[in-house]
Amino acid sequence: MDMELTHDTASMMIPAGQGLAFRIRTGDRFRLVDTEGGQVGDLFAFAADDPGEYLSAAHTRTAVSRLFPRIGEHFATNRRRPILTLVADTSPGAHDMLIAACDAARYDALGEAEHASCADNLRIALSGLAMTTHLVPQPVNVFMNIPVGTDGDLTWLPAPSRPGDAVTFEAHMDSVVVVSACPMDLNPINGERPTSLAIEFVTPRT
């Protein structure tokens, strides 16, 4: 689904288990809102004029020397350019950039071959903008709570975000962003009951 930003604010809903793609211009801001609480959002971002350049979790970790940026720090592309900046976060601050997007193979291994997935949501959402990608990048898993133990073990915990919690991003380049309201209901990350997310667009006044 596409949208022109002609007003100072606008919003769009992402139904549980589905995805949304939108275009955003350099300097524009958007908020990812957890409408009911406890819901993970898989976020992907691509350079608007070249989907071969995309937000890369690995390059971001290198750029910020952290598992996730702090407020004011940027997410980097696979070409080491800033694409989004983390502007604000009203949630408890649990987010993940280690876990791959769920896909058909993961659900097949869990005995749910026809299950919706974030990888499929990415492709379906991009097709609405007449775009394709042959790669499913590592997403920014907003609100996802996967703590890393001192021994390196990962723990899969429910998202601690509360109703109305939001994370705000600012675009460093004209971009196409995709957000998937993760459909995972076979482990605790969404409280075993996926719910909706919202996108609120904010075009800074000049």
Side-chain angles (χ1 to χ4, degrees):
M1 185 179 300
D2 200 356
M3 182 176 182
E4 292 295 327
L5 303 183
T6 57
H7 303 287
D8 291 325
T9 59
S11 62
M12 303 178 77
M13 294 297 299
I14 309 173
Q18 298 184 32
L20 171 72
F22 56 90
R23 301 183 187 276
I24 192 164
R25 297 185 296 255
T26 303
D28 285 343
R29 294 183 177 188
F30 67 94
R31 288 187 288 266
L32 174 54
V33 184
D34 190 349
T35 57
E36 298 184 42
Q39 174 61 42
V40 172
D42 283 36
L43 183 148
F44 308 86
F46 301 84
D49 58 356
D50 180 6
E53 182 173 12
Y54 52 85
L55 191 163
S56 165
H59 291 82
T60 299
R61 293 194 300 268
T62 301
V64 300
S65 296
R66 289 174 48 82
L67 290 176
F68 200 85
R70 293 185 177 95
I71 301 297
E73 294 181 333
H74 70 263
F75 298 85
T77 72
N78 56 315
R79 297 176 189 167
R80 301 185 187 274
R81 298 199 298 161
I83 186 168
L84 299 175
T85 291
L86 182 62
V87 174
D89 184 0
T90 66
S91 79
H95 310 292
D96 168 75
M97 292 198 308
L98 295 176
I99 303 301
C102 58
D103 55 21
R106 175 147 172 75
Y107 288 111
D108 186 53
L110 294 172
E112 295 285 345
E114 301 303 317
H115 203 286
S117 73
C118 288
D120 285 344
N121 286 345
L122 169 66
R123 298 186 184 98
I124 293 167
L126 285 177
S127 69
L129 300 183
M131 291 181 61
T132 59
T133 179
H134 300 293
L135 173 72
V136 178
Q138 162 69 59
V140 176
N141 294 308
V142 181
F143 308 127
M144 191 172 184
N145 190 16
I146 307 290
V148 181
T150 56
D151 56 359
D153 286 348
L154 303 178
T155 304
W156 299 72
L157 298 179
S161 46
R162 302 152 300 200
D165 277 348
V167 179
T168 304
F169 303 89
E170 181 174 318
H172 269 277
M173 64 177 73
D174 291 357
S175 304
V176 172
V177 176
V178 179
V179 177
S180 172
C182 181
M184 172 58 77
D185 55 3
L186 304 177
N187 69 28
I189 64 167
N190 296 311
E192 299 180 354
R193 188 184 71 87
T195 53
S196 62
L197 297 170
I199 298 293
E200 296 179 350
F201 301 93
V202 180
T203 305
R205 296 180 185 274
T206 57

